[in-house]
Amino acid sequence: MEKVRFALAAIALAALAVAGACGNDGVHDGGAAGATEAGTTTLRLGYFPNVTHAPAVVGVEKGIFADALGDDELEVKTFNAGPSAVEALFAGAIDATFIGPNPAINAFVTSKGKAIRIVAGATSGGASLVVKPDVTSAKALKGKKLASPQLGGTQDVALRHWLSENGLKTDPQGGGDVSILPQENAQTLETFVSGEVAGAWVPEPWATRLVQEGGGKVLVDEATLWPGGRFVTTHLIVRTEFLEEHPDTVRRLVAGTVDAVAFTNTQPDEAKRLTNEGIARIAGKALEAEVIEAAWERLTFTTDPIASSLKVSAAHAKQVGLLDDADLDGIYALDTLNQILTERGEKEVQAP
């Protein structure tokens, strides 16, 4: 995959700066997107080393995105959670990213509807609140510490909203009836094992790892909180400016996403292997076979961004004090996706 350049992005929550590592082909990461030579375009794509991002990981590892882009070049960056990816996007360090719903909402609202558009779905499901075995209810969490991947991220909002629905207050500073500590998922496994936190609302494979390696139990499978168990966990967003300047490149990226989702669904064993290889390359260690098998069962891979769940996620973020009134009109740009699906004889997805 000579056309793909890898970089690991580490971004502080309060800073709009990106520290990138060198790519695996020895090319230094950096520079603005746009024309490179002979009219080609470099697309800088973000994603997370999580099983919830399996279509993205498969798309990179299998070379699906690189093939779909043709003469255009692909440069990839990885993140721990959505707010960091949004900061990279605002800083002009990436052009598109796979991400959860709440950071996408925040990006759209913060920019007054200008910065990003959702162009495709990727994953539904795959997030849970895992707790110590002696925690049997929400009430038992009062006075305890819980973890989430990052303040304002999708799982962070889900956790705060669920606690609120159960009469427990939180605040962004870590106070309230339950103290929420935003931390990287790998650190959460350590703090859960040590007893520093009593639980965490995390995406897969981390929920499964907290159970299998940390001796925890699932108190809340988020799928049980949504109609039909369907809610957007991961979708694909693009900088509006990039979409307007390079619509053909975005079309190729969306087509690659359709291919990656189809491959993940039709060849699950190979997709699991590729996902695990990608996680190992990024995180330095592969998942145990039983972890990825269990995590996979909690996920549905689909190009449908499940738009109906986005408005609810925005309402949840407002309720817990992490978002003001949100007008989401215009956040979706699904015409390209639907054109591709129609050309392939598949059902179009619905936007609100």
Side-chain angles (χ1 to χ4, degrees):
M1 295 187 292
E2 290 298 320
K3 291 168 57 182
V4 184
R5 287 179 283 175
F6 295 95
L8 181 62
I11 306 177
L13 181 62
L16 295 180
V18 178
C22 290
N24 71 334
D25 57 1
V27 180
H28 181 70
D29 170 52
T36 52
E37 58 182 48
T40 63
T41 299
T42 296
L43 171 71
R44 299 165 302 172
L45 178 67
Y47 66 101
F48 308 168
N50 291 339
V51 181
T52 52
H53 283 235
V57 180
V58 168
V60 172
E61 297 298 318
K62 183 70 176 175
I64 294 173
F65 293 142
D67 289 344
L69 287 173
D71 291 335
D72 291 338
E73 295 185 359
L74 176 65
E75 181 178 299
V76 297
K77 299 174 183 283
T78 58
F79 301 88
N80 176 67
S84 294
V86 168
E87 287 163 6
L89 187 144
F90 280 174
I94 58 174
D95 306 303
T97 186
F98 289 87
I99 200 169
N102 290 97
I105 292 168
N106 290 338
F108 187 79
V109 172
T110 299
S111 67
K112 299 181 180 180
K114 296 179 180 179
I116 65 102
R117 296 292 183 266
I118 300 169
V119 296
T123 307
S124 170
S128 301
L129 171 60
V130 180
V131 297
K132 293 293 186 179
D134 60 343
V135 176
T136 58
S137 67
K139 286 184 178 181
L141 292 170
K142 188 171 183 177
K144 296 186 182 297
K145 295 180 180 179
L146 299 177
S148 72
Q150 194 166 13
L151 177 64
T154 299
Q155 285 77 46
D156 184 70
V157 170
L159 172 57
R160 293 174 189 275
H161 177 260
W162 181 81
L163 290 170
S164 175
E165 289 291 287
N166 284 275
L168 296 170
K169 296 180 180 179
T170 64
D171 65 47
Q173 291 73 41
D177 297 323
V178 179
S179 177
I180 298 179
L181 305 177
Q183 54 189 216
E184 292 193 3
N185 293 318
Q187 182 184 1
T188 293
L189 179 58
E190 296 175 358
T191 55
F192 184 72
V193 171
S194 70
E196 182 179 339
V197 297
W201 200 297
V202 287
E204 294 293 356
W206 296 99
T208 295
R209 292 191 66 180
L210 290 180
V211 171
Q212 294 188 359
E213 300 173 39
K217 69 176 185 181
V218 174
L219 185 63
V220 182
D221 181 341
E222 189 173 346
T224 64
L225 305 179
W226 293 89
R230 284 171 48 84
F231 65 101
V232 59
T233 301
T234 309
H235 50 205
L236 175 62
I237 67 172
V238 177
R239 282 196 300 115
T240 306
E241 183 180 10
F242 189 87
L243 175 61
E244 293 172 347
E245 293 179 353
H246 305 285
D248 291 340
T249 299
V250 173
R251 179 183 175 84
R252 288 189 279 270
L253 172 62
V254 173
T257 301
V258 174
D259 290 339
V261 169
F263 183 94
T264 303
N265 283 326
T266 59
Q267 301 189 50
D269 290 341
E270 179 69 359
K272 291 172 192 175
R273 183 186 67 80
L274 289 166
T275 300
N276 212 3
E277 287 181 356
I279 290 173
R281 178 180 55 76
I282 297 162
K285 183 179 180 181
L287 300 173
E288 297 294 335
E290 57 268 25
V291 170
I292 198 166
E293 288 290 340
W296 209 264
E297 294 300 316
R298 296 181 180 273
L299 301 166
T300 299
F301 304 110
T302 174
T303 55
D304 185 350
I306 315 177
S308 60
S309 68
L310 194 73
K311 186 175 182 180
V312 177
S313 293
H316 290 174
K318 178 183 178 181
Q319 182 178 335
V320 299
L322 293 178
L323 185 69
D324 294 328
D325 288 329
D327 181 359
L328 301 182
D329 288 346
I331 194 172
Y332 288 98
L334 299 177
D335 287 350
T336 296
L337 172 63
N338 281 329
Q339 289 170 5
I340 293 169
L341 293 175
T342 298
E343 290 168 2
R344 300 185 183 193
E346 300 180 28
K347 185 179 179 180
E348 293 186 359
V349 302
Q350 298 297 315

